[in-house]
Amino acid sequence: MAKLKSAEPASCVPAYWQDAKEELMKRDRIMRRLIPQFGDLHLVGRSEPFTTLVRSILSQQISVKAAETIWLRLLEVCPTCTPAQILKAGNEKLAACGLSKRKAEYITDLAEHFKARRVHVDQWADMDDENVITDLTQIRGIGRWTAEMFLIFNLLRPNILPLDDVGLLRGISVNYFSGEPVSRSDAREVAANWEPWRTVATWYLWRSLDTTPVPVK
């Protein structure tokens, strides 16, 4: 992804990345071909939970370019993208950045959850994947897919398989089924060989479709 103005620093390489690469290349012939194509590139996380979730909601169902434009406009209104800044701006100013009315409401609801501590932000690092998903999906505008993207890009969890992700399914289709459509069941069967590094395999399949990292959506 093109380098964007950001409200938080990028994370370093995940501690498990090299081990995961080696294991995946031993087990899976497609990964053995795919992984070396991208050299030392790796998943780059976002370190600030609130910002990560704002960008996730903002990017839903729109193009990467449109999401980047709206994000930059949002940073002009809320330079550090904190819950307080979002709530102060209000839905009208958020919508003026290019957000739909519904997305503006979702981001405001997210800010209210953070401000009131209705989500367990400080505990997420120690919670298992499903409990984090349960915590996140109580917030309007955050479904399972968005929560899984958060687990990948913010918490850097190593074994996430986002079966509702179009890019993952397409990557499996292109690389494993010669472009034939694949079902969630097909994807799950292929991914069984990736445990416990399904996040890493997913990332390389995203990369196989595009020479830039797939952003959070």
Side-chain angles (χ1 to χ4, degrees):
M1 181 169 60
K3 188 173 182 180
L4 300 177
K5 181 178 179 183
S6 176
E8 80 286 348
S11 299
C12 60
V13 58
Y16 55 79
W17 201 259
Q18 186 60 37
D19 288 343
K21 285 169 59 175
E22 292 174 4
E23 283 294 321
L24 288 168
M25 286 190 290
K26 286 178 183 176
R27 296 181 198 170
D28 188 299
R29 63 182 180 82
I30 300 299
M31 290 293 150
R32 188 158 54 247
R33 171 181 60 80
L34 204 57
I35 289 173
Q37 296 178 25
F38 300 101
D40 294 330
L41 296 177
H42 58 82
L43 170 67
V44 175
R46 298 193 176 109
S47 61
E48 208 294 303
F50 181 73
T51 302
T52 302
L53 291 166
V54 168
R55 294 188 70 170
S56 298
I57 293 171
L58 179 155
S59 301
Q60 290 170 0
Q61 298 180 326
I62 61 175
S63 70
V64 172
K65 184 176 180 180
E68 291 175 5
T69 299
I70 295 170
W71 171 242
L72 293 175
R73 289 175 183 164
L74 181 63
L75 287 181
E76 291 176 3
V77 175
C78 306
T80 54
C81 194
T82 62
Q85 287 181 351
I86 292 291
L87 292 171
K88 183 178 179 180
N91 290 345
E92 190 172 325
K93 283 188 178 180
L94 295 178
C97 297
L99 289 164
S100 67
K101 180 180 177 182
R102 179 168 293 180
K103 284 187 182 179
E105 291 173 352
Y106 288 165
I107 290 173
T108 299
D109 187 58
L110 173 67
E112 289 172 346
H113 271 77
F114 269 68
K115 184 178 179 181
R117 298 184 181 275
R118 293 200 295 268
V119 285
H120 304 88
V121 182
D122 296 336
Q123 299 176 36
W124 285 340
D126 299 317
M127 291 166 62
D128 67 32
D129 296 340
E130 288 301 321
N131 284 337
V132 175
I133 289 171
T134 298
D135 208 29
L136 284 170
T137 52
Q138 68 176 290
I139 303 170
R140 292 179 62 202
I142 297 181
R144 184 178 181 88
W145 178 83
T146 301
E148 288 170 337
M149 293 300 105
F150 182 83
L151 288 169
I152 291 172
F153 285 94
N154 184 269
L155 296 180
L156 301 178
R157 295 294 172 86
N159 198 32
I160 304 303
L161 183 69
L163 289 171
D164 293 322
D165 186 81
V166 174
L168 170 63
L169 295 180
R170 183 166 171 247
I172 291 174
S173 168
V174 169
N175 289 283
Y176 290 83
F177 291 87
S178 302
E180 292 296 316
V182 298
S183 65
R184 289 164 57 97
S185 178
D186 294 328
R188 194 178 287 109
E189 185 174 341
V190 169
N193 198 35
W194 303 339
E195 299 261 9
W197 313 117
R198 295 183 301 178
T199 293
V200 181
T202 295
W203 188 87
Y204 280 106
L205 290 175
W206 282 337
R207 290 305 303 260
S208 77
L209 301 177
D210 193 336
T211 55
T212 58
V214 174
V216 176
K217 288 189 177 180

